Amino acid sequence: MCSDDVSEVEVLLYDMYSTTSYSDTEFSYPKIRELCASIINNDSMLGLIAQAGEDIVGVFFGLVHDHFFGPTLKSSDLLLYVYDNHRGGRHAYRMIKAYIEWSLSKGVARHRVCLGVTTGDKKAGMFYERLGFENCGQIYKLI
């Protein structure tokens, strides 16, 4: 991802926001622009886009960080989203594979490369398991 992509990424992220469990929160374009700038300018963060022709149809954000118990490196995703009409192809697969390779190149041990599902999308977890990830936790929210 580069600074030229930010306006299209904003539109895509608004679609993610409005079609998932995040829609009950406040959306902020300035915050999205700030996050994109951080990702573009920070070597420990990763921003990937998926394209169909010239159009951006998917996005992935991740980062490498110290584990909270000590200096062991871990990588985590911040988000993965592909427009609904572009799912089922290879966009998400390619971005996740690039994320894994990037994480390993940063010194993260294979078993410390992590992905999460916070939108309630059950299919995402099954997809991650097919890629070799295992479910090692849950996220709960108070209702």
Side-chain angles (χ1 to χ4, degrees):
M1 182 176 79
C2 68
S3 57
D4 291 343
D5 301 325
V6 172
S7 60
E8 268 189 90
V9 168
E10 285 178 327
V11 172
L12 189 140
L13 291 180
Y14 185 81
D15 190 71
M16 177 185 189
Y17 158 81
S18 64
T19 60
T20 66
S21 61
Y22 296 131
S23 64
D24 67 347
T25 65
E26 185 179 344
F27 187 87
S28 169
Y29 283 105
K31 185 159 185 175
I32 295 299
R33 284 189 289 277
E34 183 180 309
L35 174 60
C36 289
S38 293
I39 288 170
I40 291 166
N41 296 311
N42 188 333
D43 192 42
S44 65
M45 299 180 85
L46 176 68
L48 300 171
I49 57 169
Q51 291 183 278
E54 296 296 315
D55 297 326
I56 295 175
V57 298
V59 65
F60 176 93
F61 293 165
L63 70 151
V64 169
H65 54 94
D66 289 344
H67 195 278
F68 54 82
F69 288 122
T72 302
L73 286 179
K74 177 181 179 182
S75 63
S76 303
D77 70 309
L78 297 174
L79 63 89
L80 168 66
Y81 187 70
V82 175
Y83 280 128
D84 192 44
N85 60 335
H86 287 277
R87 293 183 191 156
R90 299 185 56 82
H91 298 300
Y93 171 81
R94 287 182 181 139
M95 288 188 290
I96 291 170
K97 286 299 193 180
Y99 161 66
I100 293 168
E101 293 304 314
W102 175 80
S103 297
L104 297 175
S105 78
K106 294 291 188 181
V108 176
R110 186 171 182 79
H111 66 284
R112 298 274 181 240
V113 177
C114 301
L115 291 169
V117 179
T118 58
T119 61
D121 182 349
K122 306 273 189 267
K123 293 179 187 176
M126 294 185 302
F127 173 62
Y128 295 160
E129 289 177 16
R130 285 194 310 270
L131 292 176
F133 290 85
E134 72 175 348
N135 184 346
C136 61
Q138 305 290 322
I139 293 183
Y140 296 87
K141 70 177 185 176
L142 189 60
I143 55 171

